[in-house]
Structure formats: structure tokens, C-alpha cells
Amino acid sequence: MSCNTSVINIHVSSAAQAQRAPVYLLPCEIEHSGPAQVSQFFTSTIKDHKYEKTVSFRGRGLKGQELNCPQGYTGLVLKEINKPGSDQEDRTVRVSSVFDKMTYWNLETPPNSDDTVVMAMDWPELAEAIHGPVED
């Protein structure tokens, strides 16, 4: 039996220089890893409603919601410095940008409390309640 023993090293010092960037979680896979002119093709068409956002992306209707990172947490966008030759080799990444909120998009239905991404934002508070100290 083999196991993956690779390590991911994060250059934490790169977080201090990282800029804040808007983050979008889309319900699709885009076969591109690199910079994209998102503002030219995406953000200008977002329509803000009271509690949701709507947009059309490549002809498909998307409904979104802005989610804040849990209190005390900061989101990191990581960029791999050197890609290893195999999944057994250690990886090194740097922080390319940081965020404290992201826009989460669903296909044609608005995000709701049953979505795994929405539930994940509640996990740190729930984990603290479960594992935190018990007061008399």
C-alpha cells in the first residue's frame, strides 16, 4: 500500500504583501490556470438585488450570494511556485492575494443554507461550540 507523503510548504511572509482581490466561486470547471481579465467579461454585468446577485455567464443564468469569511479568518489565494513532477514530491506555494468575502454562484437557483460552501462558512463557529471550553 502506498501513501502520499508530500508536504505543502506555504511562504507565509508573502501574505503581508498580498493584495485584496475579489473572489468568485463558479459552478463550473475552467481549464485555465493563470491571470484572467475577469472585470472585462464578468463583473460589469452582475445585477445586485436585495439578497442575491444575478449574472449570465456563457449563456447560463447564475444566482449568487456574497459570503463573508468566518470571524477571525482570512481567505488565501495560493499560487504554486514550482510544480513538482509527481504527486509524491513536496510543493511550495505563495500567497498571491487575500480576501475576507467571496461571491458564491449557483446555476439558476440562489445559494441557500443547505449548500456545502454556505455550511462551511459556519463550521469554525460550530467547531468552537463543540470543542471549546465548557463554562459552569
Side-chain angles (χ1 to χ4, degrees):
M1 176 190 292
S2 67
C3 68
N4 187 346
T5 58
S6 65
V7 173
I8 298 176
N9 301 298
I10 300 176
H11 287 188
V12 179
S13 61
S14 59
Q17 296 92 5
Q19 296 181 351
R20 293 209 171 270
V23 173
Y24 302 97
L25 183 57
L26 298 169
C28 62
E29 183 176 327
I30 299 172
E31 294 183 17
H32 175 73
S33 59
Q37 297 173 346
V38 175
S39 61
Q40 182 179 352
F41 299 106
F42 191 70
T43 57
S44 61
T45 60
I46 295 174
K47 295 179 182 87
D48 273 311
H49 300 290
K50 191 171 186 176
Y51 294 107
E52 72 179 39
K53 299 170 182 282
T54 59
V55 71
S56 177
F57 183 67
R58 300 191 75 149
R60 300 289 304 265
L62 301 178
K63 296 196 184 251
Q65 177 183 346
E66 200 168 79
L67 301 175
N68 292 315
C69 289
Q71 187 172 355
Y73 287 79
T74 299
L76 305 175
V77 177
L78 304 174
K79 182 170 181 139
E80 196 156 34
I81 295 172
N82 296 316
K83 294 194 185 249
S86 76
D87 63 353
Q88 300 296 314
E89 294 178 48
D90 291 353
R91 306 177 99 124
T92 303
V93 297
R94 68 174 173 77
V95 178
S96 64
S97 59
V98 297
F99 60 95
D100 57 1
K101 61 185 171 186
M102 69 175 171
T103 306
Y104 169 58
W105 297 96
N106 270 343
L107 279 173
E108 301 172 2
T109 59
N112 64 62
S113 60
D114 291 332
D115 290 348
T116 55
V117 173
V118 175
M119 289 190 293
M121 293 299 152
D122 292 332
W123 177 248
E125 186 178 336
L126 180 60
E128 177 62 29
I130 295 170
H131 300 289
V134 178
E135 298 177 18
D136 291 332

